[in-house]
Amino acid sequence: MEQTGLTRAQQSVLPLWERTRRFRIYSSWLIPGPVQTAPYIEALLKSIRDRRSLVDDVEQAVRVRVDKQRILHEGDHRFAIVLEESVLRQRIGGPEVMADQLRHLLVAASLPSVSLGVIPMTADRSNLWPVEGFFLFDEAEVNVELVSAHLSVKHTHEINMYVQAFSDLSDLAIHGPAARELIGAALNSLR
């Protein structure tokens, strides 16, 4: 899919995004796509382009990804996002890009369609440690991004494992003002 660059990969998921009503997203290493800024997306996609030696269509791929974010604001789509606190501290694109990204995350978290939780680094992880990042689309499909590719999980038994994992991870997360405080602390650390 990436032989012609990254744009096609961005476009390929649009039908899935449009038909999904309930998104559950867990990320242990990046701010997820629906709430990324264009400069953050650009930094990520340039890294992928370079690591995989792909055709340079980053500018077009960024536009497609940003356009997909309209789903946050239209229809009855709902986004439950859970991040590890360390995601807030990973400097993608440098301090200015990351600061803008964190400010954008605070705005996105205030949208009626978005619920944001952050798992503090101080959480007791004895029973549930960080896992691979995943997107759960309703209860129909799970997408997992690997180093070399995307994995689509479509078997009910496996989807149910991700549903349970998301529920358990969400229970570890803090939400509302406490989550915004962690984002603010990460933002302040960039100054």
Side-chain angles (χ1 to χ4, degrees), residues 1-2 4-11 45-46 48-49 52 54-55 57-58 61:
M1 184 179 296
E2 293 178 345
T4 59
L6 293 163
T7 301
R8 185 170 169 227
Q10 299 302 314
Q11 293 167 330
L45 294 183
K46 281 182 176 180
I48 293 168
R49 176 203 61 202
R52 296 182 186 160
L54 302 174
V55 171
D57 68 338
V58 168

Side-chain angles (χ1 to χ4, degrees), residues 17-42:
W17 279 47
E18 288 173 338
R19 72 176 172 262
T20 299
R21 294 295 164 251
R22 184 177 182 202
F23 294 78
R24 284 167 281 183
I25 304 166
Y26 166 75
S27 185
S28 55
W29 43 282
L30 294 171
I31 304 291
V35 292
Q36 292 172 348
T37 62
Y40 187 91
I41 295 167
E42 181 179 4

Side-chain angles (χ1 to χ4, degrees), residues 114-126:
V114 176
S115 166
L116 177 68
V118 179
I119 301 173
M121 289 189 284
T122 56
D124 183 351
R125 302 310 286 267
S126 301

Side-chain angles (χ1 to χ4, degrees), residues 100-118:
D100 286 343
Q101 176 58 68
L102 292 172
R103 284 189 286 272
H104 179 73
L105 185 60
L106 287 167
V107 171
S110 70
L111 294 171
S113 62
V114 176
S115 166
L116 177 68
V118 179

